[in-house]
Amino acid sequence: LVERGRIATEVEVEADSRAGPGLFMIIAFLATGHKPHDAETIVRGLIADFSKTPIPEEELDKVKNRLLTQAVSARQSVENIGFILGNALLTEGNVARANSDVTALQAVTGRDVQRVVKRYLLQGHTMTIDYLPQPNTETPTKTHAQVKEGSIK
């Protein structure tokens, strides 16, 4: 979306990692002149591709290295370590998960990602929120959202 298609200026991916049903979000900030539908079509296509073909190991290694770097950086202060331990206890029921989750991350394979995409992103419920400037407004700070619900087929 950003590098190849230049449809978006920024893309964020977030996962709600609390125990139980979670939330997986893909947020795209569109470049001028592009429509939300264009980005949604590409994202859904990429998800479908990920379900058919495992992510190449070199790409997966880049992501794992970035996540591992973030995990190590987050442990640089006593306050952050306390937060990480508390979060592991509250969300996963065990403070030891603060360390075992990092080890588990290092073991993730392209096939693991493929399996999760098939199970949760293709078979799960989806919602699209298009957050757009309000048409014909004198104050460009006003916005409105359009919500569409559906599932990826």
Side-chain angles (χ1 to χ4, degrees), residues 90-105:
L90 289 172
T91 62
E92 302 184 70
N94 184 347
V95 294
R97 293 294 299 265
N99 292 325
S100 65
D101 284 353
V102 173
T103 303
L105 169 66

Side-chain angles (χ1 to χ4, degrees), residues 7 30-40 132:
I7 288 176
L30 300 185
T32 303
H34 292 282
K35 304 289 183 205
H37 177 74
D38 300 336
E40 182 181 353
L132 307 166

Side-chain angles (χ1 to χ4, degrees), residues 15-73:
D16 181 346
S17 61
R18 291 178 279 194
L23 177 66
F24 184 79
M25 296 179 284
I26 301 172
I27 302 165
F29 298 91
L30 300 185
T32 303
H34 292 282
K35 304 289 183 205
H37 177 74
D38 300 336
E40 182 181 353
T41 300
I42 291 171
V43 167
R44 289 181 186 271
L46 289 170
I47 290 170
D49 291 347
F50 289 146
S51 75
K52 296 173 190 162
T53 307
I55 295 174
E57 285 302 315
E58 69 180 36
E59 288 297 316
L60 187 58
D61 285 343
K62 287 180 194 177
V63 173
K64 290 192 308 189
N65 285 337
R66 180 176 283 170
L67 292 172
L68 183 58
T69 300
Q70 289 173 350
V72 170
S73 295

